[in-house]
Amino acid sequence: MKKKFAIIFAAFWAVVLGAGLGLKAYWNQGDRGVYLVPQREHSVEEPVLYHQRDERWSKDKLGDSSYTMGSSGCLTTCIASALSTQYQNTGTGREISPGELNQLFTDKGVYNHSGDIVWDKVKEALPEAEVLVASQVDTLEIEDLLDKGRYPIVKVKIGGNGAGHWVAIMETWDKLYRCMDPLDDSGHLTSLNDHESVAYRMRCVYWAD
């Protein structure tokens, strides 16, 4: 009887342990970045570069959260840059600054209480735009978007292993993607290689044709 109980007990914990490892693998799969290498050349004539810590909007809150554009507004800044760059290069849509976009998102309830963007609400705030929330980072999809003059936004880790951060891919140069990095105030595009060319999430907001 004792032997039978021991076998059942061991089997029970084997199932529990296996389930636990499976869940861990499931939750960690989002941290498996994709190494991005351009498949072909893309250029942008007039990139519109914004800096999230620009004094014109750096202290503005993200909705009713405690976070500000300066501390956590990289994604909003990237969206504004992608939309404005599309307008400058194709004439589609309009130019919009990070400050204006943040105010619009705030007014329309696009942010949650943690200052994160609720993607289902972006279209409500920008009915003239399209919103892509990719299920995975896909190099071919990035290439297709760039071909159409749309600028994908990818989540990276600062320096390759730091905090999560968003940058907007604008073009390719010397077999590397070049980006609008909202933490960079140099006035120039930066290399995705600054973040080890690894991306973990992909989004794209663009003006509809």
Side-chain angles (χ1 to χ4, degrees):
M1 186 70 180
K2 289 183 178 180
K3 184 177 179 180
K4 183 177 180 181
F5 176 78
I7 293 173
I8 294 173
F9 185 77
F12 170 77
W13 281 109
V15 171
V16 170
L17 180 60
L21 290 173
L23 283 172
K24 183 178 181 181
Y26 174 80
W27 287 114
N28 285 343
Q29 68 182 352
D31 290 326
R32 295 175 188 167
V34 176
Y35 184 74
L36 298 179
V37 179
Q39 303 300 302
R40 51 188 178 271
E41 292 296 315
H42 302 275
S43 61
V44 58
E45 294 294 328
E46 297 182 59
V48 179
L49 310 181
Y50 291 128
H51 184 44
Q52 70 187 79
R53 293 174 179 166
D54 188 308
E55 62 181 10
R56 289 175 291 177
W57 49 71
S58 63
K59 295 181 180 179
D60 296 349
K61 295 287 184 65
L62 303 179
D64 61 2
S65 76
S66 60
Y67 298 97
T68 66
M69 283 291 292
S71 68
S72 305
C74 56
L75 183 49
T76 300
T77 304
C78 283
I79 295 172
S81 177
L83 291 172
S84 296
T85 299
Q86 183 186 1
Y87 170 72
Q88 285 293 331
N89 288 271
T90 68
T92 302
R94 58 190 170 89
E95 191 165 335
I96 187 167
S97 74
E100 293 170 330
L101 185 61
N102 177 57
Q103 188 60 58
L104 179 63
F105 281 0
T106 296
D107 292 343
K108 298 295 185 179
V110 174
Y111 298 114
N112 63 20
H113 293 300
S114 297
D116 299 318
I117 288 176
V118 179
W119 290 99
D120 289 344
K121 294 186 177 182
V122 173
K123 181 74 174 175
E124 296 177 19
L126 289 169
E128 67 272 47
E130 298 295 337
V131 180
L132 168 67
V133 179
S135 59
Q136 61 185 4
V137 180
D138 186 332
T139 299
L140 294 179
E141 192 164 26
I142 290 174
E143 299 288 320
D144 184 59
L145 289 166
L146 291 173
D147 283 342
K148 295 175 181 177
R150 300 162 183 172
Y151 303 98
I153 300 165
V154 295
K155 188 175 185 179
V156 299
K157 291 183 180 180
I158 295 176
N161 56 15
H165 180 53
W166 294 89
V167 298
I169 296 177
M170 295 285 178
E171 66 175 13
T172 59
W173 183 78
D174 196 25
K175 298 181 180 179
L176 293 170
Y177 285 117
R178 284 161 52 85
C179 310
M180 193 293 301
D181 188 333
L183 284 177
D184 185 272
D185 62 355
S186 67
H188 302 287
L189 293 174
T190 64
S191 173
L192 188 63
N193 197 45
D194 292 345
H195 308 294
E196 303 297 333
S197 294
V198 176
Y200 299 84
R201 301 282 188 279
M202 187 172 80
R203 306 286 186 264
C204 191
V205 181
Y206 55 91
W207 300 120
D209 295 329

